Amino acid sequence: MPEFASIDATPALVVDLAVLDRNITRMAESARTRGLDLRPHAKTHKCIEIARRQVDAGAVGLSVATVSEAEVFADAGFTDLFVAYPLWVDAARGARVRALAERIRLTVGVDSADGARMLARHAGTGAGVLVEIDSGHHRTGVPPDRADAVAGAARAAGLDVRGVFTFPGHAYGPGLPGAAAADEADALAAASASLRSSSTGPLIVSGGSSPTAPIGVASAATELRPGVYVFGDAQQLELGVIAGSDVALTALATVVSARDDVVVLDAGSKTLGADRAPWATGYGRILGVPDARIAALSEHHATVRWPGTATRPGLGDRVRVVPNHVCNAVNLADDLVVVDSDGSTLDRWRVAARGCTT
């Protein structure tokens, strides 16, 4: 394992540049061979340099989660952005959406007639919309057979309806990605068929998550929006979607206490985030030690159960932690340390959209 001698303090989020670039290229090629546009979700990395690598590899634009994320990436020169969220727009947010739509191609999500009318009233009609449908996650989005009703209300308000989108979030569970991909395909087909009867132009049919994007299910989709694939995380490992060699981002941590089969690290929830899905076997993993698990997290402590089959590290040793949910870990960091395969520091990339929640 690299020593990372050039990193003088832990915890630190470290990005292996070669693995990152390989992940970006692989997803871009997968989308291209299937005739799909790739619009990766930038909420995962929140980083200008990574977004540029994605666009250079063929992405048609970026997905973001919030208006403030869109503002950051628009300021950095990205000209085609989709806020993949059912916005509720008041006067203040409407002014921001209007300003964005005047300088870039902006698309936003809606999932209600009232939401569409509020968008038109406060932001004008410069931004296009995609109608969000529920493909099985049961969070936001309308049933596929009601997509055209929302689209009709949006058109009546003067908005440009560009298509539909969904998030198959119910793929996050062991053995579920395949079924979720099939659910998504059925929902997108029903919704797009409904919209095509009243549409005057080509539709964007947008879906995909990191667990489902690689699955080759026949679908009406024209666009994929995965995010986590650039880095990988412990959830993706547990789902069997990736291997350890696909993990590009880890938290470099130092052993501060060790006894028997327990190792305590200096990377707690304020570094890794505290997400743990009910099906997850821990709060994170150790890269290169597949049977190790983070059993407990405090703000500045990670308690690791170390397997007897692996040599336990000692005080002062450094290990690489794979966060459960990498999006949360990145949002807690000011910057990412970019390293070569031998651990040499190449650069530091600012997490430019950190904290952009509005």
Side-chain angles (χ1 to χ4, degrees), residues 80-121:
D80 193 336
L81 303 176
F82 170 40
V83 183
Y85 194 90
L87 291 179
W88 183 259
V89 176
D90 57 14
R93 188 164 301 183
R96 294 164 62 196
V97 171
R98 184 192 299 268
L100 278 167
E102 287 173 352
R103 60 190 176 114
I104 65 168
R105 176 180 167 84
L106 180 69
T107 309
V108 303
V110 297
D111 78 344
S112 68
D114 286 342
R117 286 189 282 266
M118 288 290 283
L119 175 66
R121 179 190 305 172

Side-chain angles (χ1 to χ4, degrees), residues 19-40:
V19 178
L20 173 76
D21 283 343
R22 188 172 70 237
N23 291 346
I24 289 172
T25 298
R26 183 167 53 209
M27 186 64 76
E29 290 178 347
S30 175
R32 188 160 42 245
T33 58
R34 289 180 282 165
L36 298 171
D37 289 333
L38 181 63
R39 184 180 296 276

